[in-house]
Amino acid sequence: MFAVQKLPQATLLALGAFGGLLIFFWSYSNWRRTVKLVFVVALLEGAIRKWVFPSGQELVYFLKDVLLAGAYVKFFMSPDAEQRRYHLRTPLMVITVGSAIVALGALNPNIGSAILALYGIKIYLYYIPLAFMMPFLFRSEQEMVRQISWYVMFAIPIGILGVLQFFAGPGSALNVYSNTLREGETVTTFGDDAQYARITGTFSYLTGFTTYLVFFFGLVLALLSMSQITNRTRSLLMFGCIPLMIGNALMSGSRGVVLYCALLFLGFATITTFFKIGTAKSKIAVWLVVGVIVLGGASYFFADSLKAWEHRRDTSEDNTASRLEMTFNSVTLAFKEVGVSGYGIGMAHPAVDRMRRFLGIAQPQRQCPTYDVELGQIFAELGLIGFIAWYLVRSLAMYGTWKALVGAPPSPRRAIYLMCFLYQGLYIIGTVVYNHTANVFVWATYGFCLIPNLQAIGGRVARAPVTARN
């Protein structure tokens, strides 16, 4: 264990504040490099919190937020000459009004603290500005494809770690969560089959890990539809990344992530077979080969994880239909318990209770009811008007993604747009606000699809920054 883990809390906070200031100025100096680093931090943050710096995990949790703070200030307050050459046409007014209505939940007196109110705004709205930075992120289409290809390769080391976690067993130091487990508490296993732990990879908890798996699986499918990637990269994707990700999905024990990956695959296979999406030849035979590799690899190399996953599926008391029913029933239940007004933005977030204890903030007069699904939780926190405003903003983002998809010619960007649209569709009622990994990915996918909205100053419409700056 590192010596810094033994420092007093006050010292850690002082060091965190000093380090945060340095990070802020560094990120301000190059916002593009910073945003790309944020996507890497999103993958590795949990590993740092679990194994490298557990006593300072709250500081590590805010690392990507401090990085983005400097990048936000630079991008929006002091844009460089290259940015000033373009105007981004977006439904900014609707997004701003919708976000402002959501932010009004911070004025709820039941919160009882300005700090907690600001934290509530952060978990809902902090990553939305990221969307407006994405169209300017890459200087060429070739750079975009190349860097996304390298990014996806993180699936290989993360996947290997997942395999080690699965066979290490629930009692291994590899299988811990970010919060310190209480004495005698163990990690989640496959129901009554306690031989294997449900893996979390480099992430703090299961939710972040499964979110990463779905996102990366979609990116791999998009890359496979592009002729720009080399045969070596294509082989690594098909024979390295895909089997490992599917194996990890089974080892997570999550039925949802397996379903989401299957829907992504079916969506890509169907649409790219009948419509020209990427620049590679899209034939049903290609996707059948990919499907055989996925199913065959998972069945052969990950037989134990498949057996454990099937055991959990067969012994669980719920199924997909009941989960969907519970999701929408939570809104009805929240409406009956909450009514028009809510309990305050972010009030049910697990970190809020820890912040109350640490800062000595009194408990709220009315405890916010908790639900197993985010749809009802958002209703409970924001009330009816805030609930409508939040999902209006989310739906607007998805509509913008669809417009970019149908309006783009066959190209690498169109393949990325398809992936973004399918990913947002899967998470439109999924956990996003309470899942900071999904929060980053959802707004990043919307930002990719704002590329066609760039307009050069002077009236000439740029097809995309990646072509306009070649």
Side-chain angles (χ1 to χ4, degrees):
M1 305 295 283
F2 294 109
V4 71
Q5 297 173 8
K6 302 178 182 179
L7 293 175
Q9 195 77 21
T11 304
L12 284 173
L13 289 176
L15 289 173
F18 178 72
L21 192 62
L22 293 178
I23 292 170
F24 176 88
F25 285 112
W26 179 85
S27 63
Y28 180 89
S29 66
N30 191 320
W31 71 265
R32 285 186 179 86
R33 179 176 55 198
T34 298
V35 170
K36 294 172 185 177
L37 178 60
V38 164
F39 289 104
V40 176
V41 171
L43 303 182
L44 304 180
E45 170 197 284
I48 300 172
R49 294 174 66 189
K50 291 190 292 188
W51 298 307
V52 179
F53 200 21
S55 67
Q57 60 178 283
E58 289 82 4
L59 301 179
V60 179
Y61 172 80
F62 288 104
L63 174 60
K64 63 181 176 301
D65 300 329
V66 179
L67 283 166
L68 281 176
Y72 284 167
V73 172
K74 174 61 178 175
F75 182 85
F76 293 103
M77 304 299 293
S78 182
D80 55 37
E82 190 173 10
Q83 290 171 239
R84 291 195 294 269
R85 290 167 50 199
Y86 297 94
H87 168 67
L88 185 61
R89 297 177 292 108
T90 62
L92 185 60
M93 181 60 68
V94 179
I95 293 176
T96 302
V97 171
S99 299
I101 294 173
V102 171
L104 288 176
L107 301 178
N108 194 312
N110 190 52
I111 299 176
S113 167
I115 295 176
L116 298 183
L118 288 174
Y119 182 75
I121 293 176
K122 179 262 176 190
I123 64 174
Y124 274 84
L125 306 176
Y126 188 74
Y127 302 112
I128 294 180
L130 182 63
F132 304 107
M133 304 168 77
M134 296 302 294
F136 298 89
L137 190 59
F138 301 104
R139 299 180 185 278
S140 69
E141 193 167 85
Q142 292 74 21
E143 178 186 306
M144 179 186 73
V145 174
R146 183 177 67 254
Q147 294 191 3
I148 290 178
S149 300
W150 278 109
Y151 184 59
V152 165
M153 294 306 165
F154 272 101
I156 295 177
I158 294 176
I160 292 173
L161 173 62
V163 174
L164 295 175
Q165 288 176 329
F166 182 76
F167 289 103
S172 171
L174 290 176
N175 290 308
V176 292
Y177 301 140
S178 286
N179 62 326
T180 303
L181 294 174
R182 296 186 295 272
E183 186 177 355
E185 185 180 0
T186 58
V187 296
T188 306
T189 58
F190 289 78
D192 56 2
D193 183 2
Q195 180 181 359
Y196 301 110
R198 295 178 62 187
I199 65 172
T200 56
T202 56
F203 292 81
S204 302
Y205 305 100
L206 269 165
T207 304
F209 181 60
T210 55
T211 301
Y212 136 79
L213 286 171
V214 176
F215 184 73
F216 266 51
F217 189 70
L219 283 179
V220 168
L221 295 179
L223 289 172
L224 287 175
S225 67
M226 302 177 189
S227 62
Q228 283 80 356
I229 62 172
T230 63
N231 290 333
R232 180 180 179 182
T233 301
R234 193 178 300 273
S235 298
L236 281 171
L237 294 174
M238 293 180 64
F239 299 103
C241 293
I242 289 182
L244 273 174
M245 285 191 290
I246 295 301
N248 275 210
L250 296 173
M251 294 172 189
S252 74
S254 170
R255 292 159 294 169
V257 69
V258 174
L259 175 62
Y260 280 9
C261 288
L263 291 175
L264 276 174
F265 178 79
L266 290 174
F268 255 95
T270 303
I271 295 173
T272 58
T273 296
F274 295 103
F275 302 96
K276 186 70 172 177
I277 298 296
T279 48
K281 292 183 178 180
S282 300
K283 296 182 178 180
I284 190 66
V286 175
W287 293 106
L288 286 175
V289 170
V290 175
V292 169
I293 292 173
V294 169
L295 296 178
S299 301
Y300 181 78
F301 293 105
F302 305 109
D304 290 340
S305 59
L306 179 59
K307 183 179 179 180
W309 183 86
E310 289 177 335
H311 174 78
R312 182 173 184 272
R313 179 199 62 190
D314 296 337
T315 57
S316 295
E317 297 179 355
D318 58 357
N319 52 39
T320 302
S322 63
R323 283 288 186 92
L324 287 173
E325 183 180 4
M326 180 174 61
T327 297
F328 293 104
N329 285 346
S330 69
V331 178
T332 304
L333 184 60
F335 182 78
K336 292 179 180 178
E337 294 186 358
V338 179
V340 177
S341 63
Y343 286 76
I345 192 169
M347 282 290 287
H349 195 282
V352 169
D353 189 53
R354 294 196 295 269
M355 293 172 67
R356 285 186 185 277
R357 293 195 301 268
F358 178 77
L359 299 174
I361 301 172
Q363 292 295 316
Q365 295 182 352
R366 299 182 302 145
Q367 289 290 343
C368 183
T370 57
Y371 302 93
D372 290 333
V373 291
E374 189 172 275
L375 215 65
Q377 203 62 68
I378 290 176
F379 199 114
E381 292 183 357
L382 302 181
L384 177 61
I385 305 300
F387 176 86
I388 293 174
W390 173 248
Y391 282 102
L392 174 63
V393 172
R394 291 287 309 280
S395 300
L396 186 64
M398 193 169 177
Y399 174 69
T401 304
W402 169 254
K403 284 184 63 178
L405 172 62
V406 299
S411 62
R413 285 185 290 112
R414 196 180 195 193
I416 294 293
Y417 297 162
L418 175 58
M419 173 268 168
C420 293
F421 179 74
L422 294 175
Y423 184 81
Q424 288 183 41
L426 292 174
Y427 277 88
I428 189 65
I429 59 173
T431 304
V432 172
V433 173
Y434 279 61
N435 177 2
H436 57 91
T437 305
N439 216 334
V440 170
F441 289 158
V442 162
W443 292 111
T445 56
Y446 174 50
F448 265 115
C449 299
L450 290 176
I451 289 176
N453 292 8
L454 273 182
Q455 185 177 38
I457 300 300
R460 181 174 60 86
V461 178
R463 288 182 295 165
V466 293
T467 57
R469 295 201 296 265
N470 278 345

